[in-house]
Amino acid sequence: MISIANLTKTYASGLQALKRVDLDIRKGEIFALLGPNGAGKTTLISIVCGIVTPSTGEVRVDGHDILREYRATRSRIGLVPQELHTDMFETVWSTVAFSRGLFGCAPNAAHLEKVLRDLSLWDRRHHKIMTLSGGMKRRVLIAKALSHEPQVLFLDEPTAGVDVELRRDMWGLVRKLRESGVTIILTTHYIDEAEEMADRIGVINKGELIMVEEKAKLMKKLGKKQLTVHLVEPLARLPEALGEWNLALKNDGSDLEYNFNEKDEHTGIPELLRRLGDLGLEFKDLETRESSLEDIFVSLVSERA
Amino acid sequence: MNRHGVLAIYRFEMARFRRTFWQSLVTPVITTSLYFVVFGAAIGSRMREVDGVPYGAFIVPGLIMLSIFTESLNNASFGIYLPKFTGTIYELLSAPVSALETVLAYVGAAATKSMLLGLVILATSALFVPIQILHPAWMIAFLVLTSATFCLFGFMIGIWATGFEQLQFIPMLVITPLTFLGGAFYSIDMLPPAWRTVSLFNPVVYLISGFRWSFYGTSDVSVELSLAMTLGFFAACLVGVSWIFRTGYRLKS
Ligand SMILES: Nc1ncnc2c1ncn2[C@@H]1O[C@H](COP(=O)(O)OP(=O)(O)OP(=O)(O)O)[C@@H](O)[C@H]1O
Ligand SMILES: [Mg+2]
């Protein structure tokens, strides 16, 4: 549905926000773009939508070039921006009707009513946007993006600043849209959100698309945890009897570090602790932590190198 | 051609004007009335006729032009600056509308409002002084062309501006003086020869002169020259605006 080839973007400031990105997004899938602040997610989306001009590379939407055939590509796309940019004095209804017209569609009150009802905005259709709460403003932006029945929907951090209930509603809506054949691309900082929603996940960091994987495969790679055992007596080296675990000695031998995957059925932790007892290695504390997104990027980048 | 898109923007802009309808009408009506009290009654009664036209009536075309200039610049620049300021411009940039369509819609809406305003001032003036329009078709043509030109110019200011004070900058600093020195309240033939020559470098002279000709058949410079200059400014603004959209200047990064 969307094919991106060799896309780079260097802003006027000289900052390179995207580095030779290649990506194909399939028709009808939910694709999550996962990355930390400043990774280039919004830049990538903005280029596809026509808000930012690419420095090099080519982007096609449904076979049409985004620059030469912008009418064909843009009329197929709906965008929900990251920031809450809305008109203040317009009513919900008029702003949604405006969007539909702007994207070249004839008025269709029935469709707008359906969109507003789906987003629980119908009762507020005559309210001015400035009187709505932040979460409702975000729904208005979604309604605007859906007003012209797009085939592709971009959601730039749809759940930022959104409460749990609305978040669940939003995920439900996204699934419903997918069932109707809409291709959905969303960005997020959160692994669990990507896991909950997406069919495939692309990981982006510092302008580089590090990997694109089916969700299940990626989750295996991402679901890493770390167990640290603080020993009473430091060890000079790892005892051979602990060889079957992937262990490392840290902190001058007073910490044992064990990396494991929480998605594995068999983590080997009970056996490890039993073995430590058998060997007479006493410990004063245990600590586990999930690898942060940052750790994961570091390990993914180093894996590739 | 994205007809629905152009209409959507045009309607949106007109709705914005409608919200401030009364302010935007009351202000010029009061201002015009004040001009007539000051220039028409107080000073005008001591003035000779200018080119055979009573002074109060003589200043009407200039007054209308003065309002058209400032209103066009303000409306058009604000119209495009506002979405830049609030961030809603993302939608316009991501929409399947061409540069030409965007300009048509924004400038069309702003020019509509300016022209309405011009007509309101004309009607107000008619309450104070006898008005005669010898060439109504030309009067409308000059009104449309001038409104469109200044709206295009305002559109460029709106795109260029990075703050509200810059929006006011050009209208205040350039247009108002040029208008006052451009023969809005006098015929440049009344000036000493040296100043008359200087005045001919003021583009506003041609706009006002042509417009006044359509009322009273008298003009400072020839009508053909006025028309040519007006068309020239219009073309220059068109070139400027199309350059902006070709390069994405201050709109896209
Ligand atoms: N208009 C701009 N001019 C210059 N630099 C920019 C511009 N927009 C973004 N950048 C820079 O480009 C980089 C990528 O920004 P981008 O907004 O794409 O990141 P992001 O992945 O969306 O981040 P976040 O998760 O915070 O939204 C950042 O370093 C940012 O500072
Ligand atoms: Mg972003």
Side-chain angles (χ1 to χ4, degrees):
Chain A
M1 190 69 191
I2 299 179
S3 80
I4 297 171
N6 196 18
L7 186 66
T8 60
K9 173 65 191 178
T10 308
Y11 280 110
S13 59
L15 184 119
Q16 198 174 11
L18 290 177
K19 297 168 188 161
R20 300 182 135 272
V21 170
D22 293 293
L23 175 63
D24 276 290
I25 288 164
R26 301 170 194 152
K27 203 177 179 84
E29 75 174 332
I30 300 180
F31 188 91
L33 207 50
L34 177 66
N37 285 129
K41 303 182 293 294
T42 300
T43 302
L44 183 65
I45 288 181
S46 300
I47 290 176
V48 180
C49 293
I51 298 167
V52 169
T53 45
S55 302
T56 69
E58 196 189 48
V59 181
R60 293 183 159 272
V61 178
D62 208 7
H64 301 282
D65 184 87
I66 55 157
L67 298 179
R68 270 175 282 118
E69 303 163 274
Y70 68 91
R71 279 190 206 271
T73 64
R74 293 185 194 173
S75 57
R76 284 170 170 75
I77 294 177
L79 165 66
V80 182
Q82 181 173 1
E83 311 285 341
L84 288 176
H85 298 307
T86 56
D87 291 302
M88 300 300 252
F89 305 103
E90 298 295 314
T91 64
V92 172
W93 179 266
S94 70
T95 197
V96 174
F98 167 78
S99 297
R100 185 174 170 88
L102 188 63
F103 279 76
C105 296
N108 180 344
H111 175 71
L112 297 190
E113 175 172 348
K114 182 177 174 303
V115 167
L116 291 181
R117 283 192 190 281
D118 284 350
L119 288 158
S120 320
L121 284 169
W122 182 245
D123 294 340
R124 312 245 178 188
R125 64 190 180 282
H126 298 309
H127 288 221
K128 286 198 169 137
I129 298 172
M130 65 180 170
T131 65
L132 302 180
S133 73
M136 279 190 280
K137 282 188 187 135
R138 192 166 288 280
R139 281 188 255 183
V140 171
L141 289 179
I142 299 176
K144 280 164 80 73
L146 293 176
S147 65
H148 61 282
E149 300 157 65
Q151 297 168 24
V152 180
L153 180 67
F154 285 98
L155 294 160
D156 201 353
E157 284 174 45
T159 54
V162 156
D163 68 17
V164 182
E165 198 176 339
L166 178 53
R167 186 175 300 207
R168 215 176 303 121
D169 286 356
M170 206 116 74
W171 290 354
L173 178 79
V174 166
R175 288 203 189 88
K176 234 168 78 183
L177 283 170
R178 198 259 302 267
E179 277 160 28
S180 69
V182 179
T183 307
I184 292 151
I185 296 101
L186 57 94
T187 72
T188 177
H189 294 146
Y190 305 111
I191 297 179
D192 56 345
E193 185 161 87
E195 181 176 13
E196 174 81 26
M197 301 289 300
D199 302 313
R200 285 197 309 152
I201 297 173
V203 180
I204 186 170
N205 189 35
K206 298 200 174 86
E208 275 185 278
L209 195 59
I210 302 171
M211 62 157 30
V212 177
E213 282 280 17
E214 299 292 333
K215 174 173 72 185
K217 273 194 205 157
L218 189 72
M219 281 307 141
K220 242 189 145 96
K221 291 192 191 175
L222 295 189
K224 281 186 179 148
K225 272 198 162 181
Q226 197 172 60
L227 170 74
T228 309
V229 181
H230 301 289
L231 300 169
V232 176
E233 294 288 331
L235 284 175
R237 57 181 194 84
L238 272 178
E240 266 166 42
L242 296 177
E244 59 191 271
W245 291 273
N246 174 24
L247 293 177
L249 266 183
K250 291 281 162 74
N251 204 2
D252 292 332
S254 53
D255 288 348
L256 263 180
E257 219 175 72
Y258 174 42
N259 286 304
F260 63 99
N261 195 321
E262 65 171 328
K263 307 280 168 190
D264 285 348
E265 265 171 39
H266 192 73
T267 57
I269 290 173
E271 294 84 350
L272 173 64
L273 295 182
R274 221 172 296 130
R275 184 69 58 89
L276 287 178
D278 293 347
L279 291 173
L281 294 172
E282 284 184 60
F283 50 88
K284 38 186 186 193
D285 199 6
L286 286 175
E287 200 185 324
T288 68
R289 68 182 187 97
E290 272 178 64
S291 2
S292 67
L293 201 49
E294 201 54 45
D295 296 336
I296 291 162
F297 291 127
V298 170
S299 76
L300 285 175
V301 172
S302 60
E303 251 171 51
R304 281 193 340 152
Chain B
M1 171 91 183
N2 180 351
R3 195 165 44 90
H4 294 296
V6 173
L7 259 177
I9 299 175
Y10 185 84
R11 287 216 192 96
F12 178 91
E13 285 296 291
M14 292 313 284
R16 192 167 66 76
F17 296 149
R18 222 171 294 132
R19 277 197 294 270
T20 53
F21 187 70
W22 291 111
Q23 292 100 297
S24 33
L25 281 192
V26 168
T27 317
V29 168
I30 293 180
T31 317
T32 312
S33 307
L34 285 176
Y35 273 117
F36 280 111
V37 171
V38 175
F39 287 97
I43 300 177
S45 59
R46 300 181 189 196
M47 297 270 292
R48 287 176 284 124
E49 295 188 335
V50 184
D51 297 333
V53 180
Y55 185 71
F58 177 85
I59 62 173
V60 170
L63 273 183
I64 296 176
M65 278 284 157
L66 180 60
S67 299
I68 297 258
F69 295 160
T70 45
E71 280 296 311
S72 297
L73 289 180
N74 284 341
N75 290 334
S77 61
F78 202 68
I80 190 68
Y81 179 76
L82 202 63
K84 272 197 341 174
F85 178 74
T86 60
T88 51
I89 190 123
Y90 84 87
E91 198 178 19
L92 183 66
L93 295 177
S94 66
V97 285
S98 69
L100 188 70
E101 289 160 357
T102 309
V103 172
L104 196 68
Y106 273 103
V107 169
T112 306
K113 190 191 176 194
S114 301
M115 287 184 286
L116 284 178
L117 204 92
L119 296 177
V120 167
I121 295 175
L122 183 60
T124 313
S125 311
L127 300 176
F128 291 89
V129 290
I131 289 179
Q132 190 187 14
I133 303 174
L134 290 180
H135 312 285
W138 282 109
M139 192 276 275
I140 297 294
F142 274 110
L143 194 66
V144 171
L145 257 180
T146 311
S147 302
T149 304
F150 277 76
C151 286
L152 280 171
F153 192 37
F155 192 81
M156 286 193 274
I157 295 175
I159 285 177
W160 164 79
T162 50
F164 280 101
E165 64 291 345
Q166 288 183 341
L167 284 183
Q168 299 298 328
F169 185 71
I170 293 198
M172 291 297 289
L173 225 67
V174 183
I175 301 301
T176 311
L178 282 185
T179 315
F180 276 91
L181 301 176
F185 300 105
Y186 54 85
S187 162
I188 59 169
D189 290 331
M190 294 156 75
L191 297 173
W195 282 108
R196 187 183 185 282
T197 310
V198 170
S199 290
L200 291 178
F201 287 96
N202 179 354
V204 169
V205 166
Y206 301 90
L207 302 176
I208 293 180
S209 167
F211 194 54
R212 188 180 288 133
W213 169 84
S214 70
F215 280 74
Y216 307 120
T218 63
S219 57
D220 294 343
V221 292
S222 83
V223 184
E224 291 78 16
L225 187 57
S226 282
L227 188 64
M229 291 297 260
T230 310
L231 284 171
F233 299 139
F234 180 67
C237 288
L238 266 187
V239 169
V241 166
S242 60
W243 176 82
I244 283 174
F245 274 101
R246 221 178 32 250
T247 57
Y249 173 75
R250 295 227 170 149
L251 283 176
K252 295 189 186 190
S253 38

